[in-house]
Amino acid sequence: MANNDLILGQSHSLALGQNQTLVLGHNHNLGLTQNHDLDLGTGHDHHLGLGQAHDHDLGLGHTHDHELDLGHNHDQEGDVGHGYRHDNNLTTDQKPDHDDHGLALSENNELVVSESQELDDNLELAVVDNQEMGIDPARDLQQSRVLVSLPPVLQVRNSNPSYELAVGQEFPDVKSCRRALRDTAIALRFEMQTIKSDKTRFTAKCASEGCPWRVHAAKLPGVPTFTIRTIHETHTCGGLYHLGHQQASVQWVAHSVEQRLRENPNYKPKEILEEIHRVHGITLSYKQAWRGKERIMAAMRGTFEEGYRLLPRYCEQIKRTNPGSIASVYGNPTDSCFQRLFISFQASIYGFLNACRPLLGLDRTFLKSKYNGTLLLATGFDGDGALFPLAFGVIDEESDDNWMWFLSELHTLLEINTENMPRLTILSDRQKGIVDGVEANFPTAFHGFCMRHLSESFQKEFNNTMLVNLLWEAAHALTVIEFEAKILEIEEISQDAAYWIRRIPPRLWATAYFEGTRFGHLTANIVESLNSWLLEASGLPIIQMMECIRRQLMTWFNERRETSMQWTSILVPSAERCVAEAIECARTYQVLRANEAEFEVISQEGTNIVDIRNRCCLCRGWQLYGLPCAHAVAALLSCRQNVNRFTESCFTVATYRKAYSQTIHPIPDKSLWKELPEGDPNANKSLEAIINPPKSLKPPGRPRKKRVRAEDRGRTKRVVHCSRCNQTGHFRTTCAAPI
């Protein structure tokens, strides 16, 4: 038949031993169901696997309408049995041993099909345990009968002097006795069945039926020591007929890899499986390895539930070891379930208020731990442009109320630490909860869009790289004229894109219209910048997560403080480079002086007016970035002024050192937290508070990798149109409408 079907009858079988591998060359598959013999058609002189003289598939010629048919009642069935080891393969031999190009067994007990034979690509081979394969050919193959029978896998018992047991052998306690016997069973390839096990005795035997091996251990009087009293005979069993082991429990896995996990907590379950197979020769499931790792990690870092329970003590330790820091935790009044946590270290508060730019970025990332939750971040920027984390909040769920609470805590933090709180510029994705919180707590702040959020939404809507690049160029444009020119370029490509952009007020995102000072920072970019270590930390218990954050901050403060001590310039490196580039450009400019403060600077791009008294230039670069632009530098050099004196103070090395002058101190181990601070009655009251885990567990399945933008929620999606059927809802490439 043309499509070379493979038909299986009812009373035929194909059997391979447990865990046998069956491989066909040339990426062909052969499909058999349960209890079927393999029977060739009766009309032609075909072998299974025809020679080069025949242009046929598996017993099927392209020019013959034959089926490979397994009938219900066949007279011939071969019973040639062959023993297989557990890793035998069904493979293609390129040099067949016989002339008829048939199906044969090689010296390695492998089922061999000659190279010249072709197998239909649509044929599949499904091997089922405890089945047999019989071949009953037609007239010319009635004498050729093959039966392949594979015994189960055998783990042969071996001898290991390190694990030999002896009468009188002692163990510190019953647990050590059980552990030693378990390790012996695994090492010597036999399974053990416990008969009796209590505080005074332990009796076990070999699990193989008929094997007389038996061991009995008992407790010595007056001490917890256990000793082996009797060992009956030796093993008569051959070993295990599978690749696993009954004694290889989750606890055994945890004990086996404990040292490795303590050295490398990132040790993966897959690597655990590979090591156990390499060292012990047994195969376990991925779940066993994962559970074993989780058990050790829970012992090392504590459970998720314990983390919430110890939060009040942890907050007290932060305030005790880092005076001036803010750390508070809140639970639900009705059931004491965790709701909110706010932490800000005194070193961060001091550095932000005294040395950083008055610019804050707000962002969040979802926790990847056992319980649902969201980590909120408020981050500033130091003089060299690096992130300067100020405050962290953990909430049970993201909501408008929780954002209002976080910004209220942030306002209190800044208000109590300075009499004249700076007028902030805040960047975020401007979702409703953040907008309301900023207006309520920072009414004088300039609140703008983080361009990363805006560009991602724009990219998702129009999926055009050229349009996205023009959007960024419009955002960076310093003047209104430059901004409008970029919008016109977008409009020439897509009027819909231009309309989408114009719906968002430019004063919220475009540099040319933005009223605040962003110092060139159009994005908060917090989570992406911290993603390398924050992603790992977000999957830990809550105290471990906050400790990971604290240690990272402590390391940053120390490293940046030591690095800045080696700087010999007046400005930080990034500002030094910008000024050097401006000086290089200014060499070609012509400067005309109007009075002691006002200058006219002529360049190839045009003419700009510079006022060095008010530190402004018509190009707006000086005002927006805080560093003299090339026009300002040309004016300053013409009157022999020191350019460095006309930069914002946050760009100086002295101010940078002040940002990291304070230290974030370590926190003692949780085993020492039971000591109560003396003379602090409020501490005792807070330590008595009980915080339970949130009610909402993390849902099953792989977590979402890409966050849903706030501005995407509830917005009507763009309607797509099919150019083939003239309908909406799909594209031409996916159109299935009949034309």
Side-chain angles (χ1 to χ4, degrees):
M1 50 188 273
N3 57 358
N4 298 339
D5 290 334
L6 181 64
I7 302 176
L8 304 179
Q10 293 289 332
S11 57
H12 310 279
S13 60
L14 170 69
L16 292 181
Q18 189 177 11
N19 295 323
Q20 304 307 310
T21 305
L22 194 55
V23 180
L24 293 179
H26 305 290
N27 297 322
H28 296 301
N29 299 319
L30 181 62
L32 297 176
T33 56
Q34 297 180 357
N35 301 322
H36 291 86
D37 293 328
L38 184 61
D39 185 14
L40 298 178
T42 59
H44 295 273
D45 185 9
H46 296 308
H47 291 278
L48 181 60
L50 295 178
Q52 297 179 357
H54 303 278
D55 185 16
H56 298 293
D57 287 334
L58 184 60
L60 300 172
H62 290 291
T63 58
H64 302 278
D65 190 12
H66 293 302
E67 295 181 352
L68 184 59
D69 187 15
L70 302 178
H72 294 276
N73 300 299
H74 297 287
D75 298 330
Q76 305 283 345
E77 181 176 324
D79 294 325
V80 183
H82 294 273
Y84 271 52
R85 52 189 172 86
H86 74 275
D87 58 347
N88 289 338
N89 297 326
L90 180 63
T91 185
T92 302
D93 191 353
Q94 297 184 359
K95 295 182 180 181
D97 299 331
H98 44 84
D99 296 330
D100 60 355
H101 306 288
L103 187 65
L105 295 176
S106 67
E107 295 179 357
N108 296 325
N109 293 334
E110 296 178 343
L111 193 56
V112 180
V113 181
S114 61
E115 183 187 13
S116 59
Q117 312 313 315
E118 298 180 358
L119 296 178
D120 188 272
D121 290 337
N122 295 323
L123 300 180
E124 297 180 356
L125 181 59
V127 181
V128 184
D129 292 345
N130 300 324
Q131 295 178 329
E132 298 178 352
M133 181 171 75
I135 298 180
D136 189 8
R139 291 172 298 180
D140 295 327
L141 292 179
Q142 291 180 357
Q143 301 302 322
S144 300
R145 297 182 295 272
V146 180
L147 177 66
V148 181
S149 179
L150 303 176
V153 177
L154 175 63
Q155 291 189 60
V156 180
R157 279 206 336 103
N158 55 11
S159 60
N160 190 333
S162 302
Y163 290 92
E164 293 295 339
L165 301 175
V167 175
Q169 187 173 349
E170 294 184 353
F171 307 96
D173 50 40
V174 65
K175 290 185 178 180
S176 301
C177 178
R178 293 170 185 162
R179 187 182 302 116
L181 293 176
R182 179 192 61 194
D183 294 342
T184 298
I186 293 174
L188 302 184
R189 303 290 193 274
F190 72 91
E191 289 182 339
M192 189 172 59
Q193 180 179 349
T194 302
I195 298 177
K196 292 181 180 180
S197 178
D198 53 36
K199 296 181 180 180
T200 60
R201 56 186 174 176
F202 180 82
T203 306
K205 69 173 184 177
C206 180
S208 297
E209 187 176 355
C211 183
W213 184 89
R214 184 184 180 96
V215 63
H216 175 69
K219 179 179 175 296
L220 295 177
V223 292
T225 306
F226 263 65
T227 182
I228 295 180
R229 294 290 179 85
T230 58
I231 299 178
H232 294 286
E233 303 191 29
T234 58
H235 288 276
T236 60
C237 57
L240 299 179
Y241 285 87
H242 55 83
L243 294 176
H245 201 287
Q246 184 178 350
Q247 269 68 55
S249 62
V250 172
Q251 183 59 38
W252 177 81
V253 173
H255 179 74
S256 300
V257 298
E258 179 176 3
Q259 186 60 34
R260 179 65 64 90
L261 281 173
R262 291 187 182 276
E263 297 172 356
N264 179 22
N266 295 325
Y267 201 43
K268 298 179 180 179
K270 182 180 179 181
E271 297 171 330
I272 294 175
L273 291 176
E274 293 172 352
E275 179 176 342
I276 289 178
H277 185 269
R278 182 179 67 255
V279 176
H280 302 283
I282 58 178
T283 301
L284 302 178
S285 66
Y286 182 91
K287 186 176 182 180
Q288 280 180 287
W290 181 84
R291 292 176 62 193
K293 176 182 177 179
E294 287 298 304
R295 187 166 296 187
I296 292 299
M297 297 307 293
M300 291 170 52
R301 68 194 182 192
T303 64
F304 289 91
E305 292 76 14
E306 182 188 35
Y308 289 102
R309 181 173 55 83
L310 294 177
L311 272 178
R313 293 183 181 273
Y314 178 68
C315 291
E316 288 299 321
Q317 290 297 322
I318 290 177
K319 292 183 285 188
R320 185 182 181 186
T321 56
N322 293 267
S325 300
I326 297 176
S328 53
V329 60
Y330 304 92
N332 191 313
T334 57
D335 54 13
S336 298
C337 288
F338 171 82
Q339 280 189 319
R340 298 162 177 166
L341 171 70
F342 185 89
I343 292 177
S344 181
F345 294 96
Q346 190 273 337
S348 297
I349 299 172
Y350 177 86
F352 178 79
L353 291 175
N354 293 279
C356 287
R357 314 170 191 185
L359 174 65
L360 272 180
L362 302 177
D363 207 348
R364 80 284 202 196
T365 184
F366 298 109
L367 302 186
K368 297 174 177 58
S369 60
K370 181 178 180 181
Y371 295 93
N372 281 333
T374 304
L375 175 66
L376 308 181
L377 305 100
T379 303
F381 301 87
D382 64 22
D384 204 33
L387 289 176
F388 190 91
L390 173 61
F392 302 90
V394 182
I395 52 178
D396 55 351
E397 62 177 357
E398 187 179 11
S399 65
D400 294 348
D401 289 341
N402 279 333
W403 269 114
M404 180 68 74
W405 161 82
F406 180 73
L407 291 167
S408 174
E409 293 282 336
L410 196 61
H411 175 267
T412 303
L413 173 154
L414 297 174
E415 190 177 40
I416 64 176
N417 285 277
T418 178
E419 295 180 359
N420 300 314
M421 188 169 60
R423 190 176 185 185
L424 294 176
T425 296
I426 297 177
L427 301 177
S428 73
D429 64 359
R430 286 188 59 89
Q431 65 161 289
K432 184 179 183 301
I434 300 179
V435 172
D436 293 343
V438 170
E439 290 179 353
N441 296 283
F442 301 96
T444 62
F446 303 103
H447 189 191
F449 265 115
C450 169
M451 273 301 297
R452 175 179 56 85
H453 297 274
L454 198 63
S455 65
E456 285 180 0
S457 299
F458 186 74
Q459 171 73 27
K460 183 178 179 181
E461 183 74 21
F462 297 100
N463 194 25
N464 187 314
T465 304
M466 182 181 297
L467 290 176
V468 174
N469 292 337
L470 288 173
L471 176 67
W472 278 96
E473 292 176 9
H476 280 286
L478 300 181
T479 63
V480 174
I481 295 176
E482 295 174 358
F483 173 82
E484 293 298 334
K486 294 301 178 183
I487 298 299
L488 287 176
E489 289 186 44
I490 294 175
E491 192 171 11
E492 291 176 359
I493 300 174
S494 172
Q495 292 185 353
D496 291 342
Y499 174 73
W500 189 94
I501 294 173
R502 292 188 184 278
R503 285 189 308 159
I504 304 173
R507 61 181 177 80
L508 299 179
W509 61 278
T511 302
Y513 289 93
F514 192 74
E515 297 176 357
T517 304
R518 293 186 291 188
F519 299 95
H521 289 279
L522 299 186
T523 64
N525 226 23
I526 300 173
V527 173
E528 281 68 18
S529 300
L530 307 181
N531 193 51
S532 57
W533 59 271
L534 192 61
L535 182 65
E536 178 185 346
S538 64
L540 299 174
I542 188 167
I543 289 181
Q544 291 293 322
M545 177 184 69
M546 297 311 302
E547 276 295 273
C548 182
I549 292 174
R550 184 197 57 78
R551 293 187 183 108
Q552 184 67 58
L553 293 183
M554 182 177 68
T555 303
W556 278 352
F557 269 62
N558 181 64
E559 290 177 349
R560 295 174 183 177
R561 182 168 53 245
E562 292 182 349
T563 301
S564 66
M565 293 301 174
Q566 302 173 4
W567 294 342
T568 57
S569 59
I570 297 177
L571 303 180
V572 297
S574 60
E576 191 78 17
R577 288 192 298 269
C578 291
V579 171
E581 293 174 0
I583 292 174
E584 188 66 27
C585 294
R587 296 184 188 278
T588 61
Y589 294 171
Q590 180 183 359
V591 180
L592 302 176
R593 186 168 186 172
N595 53 43
E596 68 278 1
E598 196 172 4
F599 298 81
E600 182 179 351
V601 180
I602 303 172
S603 64
Q604 294 180 352
E605 293 80 14
T607 301
N608 286 276
I609 300 174
V610 177
D611 185 346
I612 62 174
R613 181 186 293 115
N614 296 317
R615 298 190 178 189
C616 62
C617 176
L618 198 61
C619 75
R620 301 184 73 234
W622 197 355
Q623 304 93 293
L624 295 174
Y625 292 103
L627 294 170
C629 60
H631 313 111
V633 168
L636 291 169
L637 293 178
S638 69
C639 59
R640 299 185 179 183
Q641 292 289 333
N642 186 348
V643 176
N644 294 332
R645 291 180 52 238
F646 289 85
T647 61
E648 292 290 338
S649 61
C650 62
F651 295 108
T652 63
V653 172
T655 303
Y656 183 92
R657 290 171 180 168
K658 186 184 294 184
Y660 297 100
S661 60
Q662 303 293 312
T663 301
I664 296 180
H665 300 283
I667 293 177
D669 186 77
K670 62 183 179 181
S671 60
L672 304 176
W673 293 356
K674 295 181 180 179
E675 300 180 7
L676 302 179
E678 298 179 0
D680 189 357
N682 294 327
N684 296 338
K685 188 178 298 183
S686 64
L687 293 177
E688 293 174 358
I690 298 176
I691 301 296
N692 296 321
K695 291 183 178 180
S696 56
L697 287 169
K698 194 165 188 66
R702 186 182 298 274
R704 182 190 298 272
K705 291 184 178 180
K706 189 173 182 180
R707 296 180 298 169
V708 178
R709 299 271 69 83
E711 59 268 24
D712 291 340
R713 299 190 183 103
R715 181 164 51 84
T716 305
K717 294 184 177 180
R718 182 168 58 99
V719 178
V720 296
H721 183 267
C722 177
S723 60
R724 179 172 175 268
C725 67
N726 209 26
Q727 300 296 320
T728 59
H730 63 274
F731 292 103
R732 179 185 181 88
T733 54
T734 58
C735 180
I739 300 297

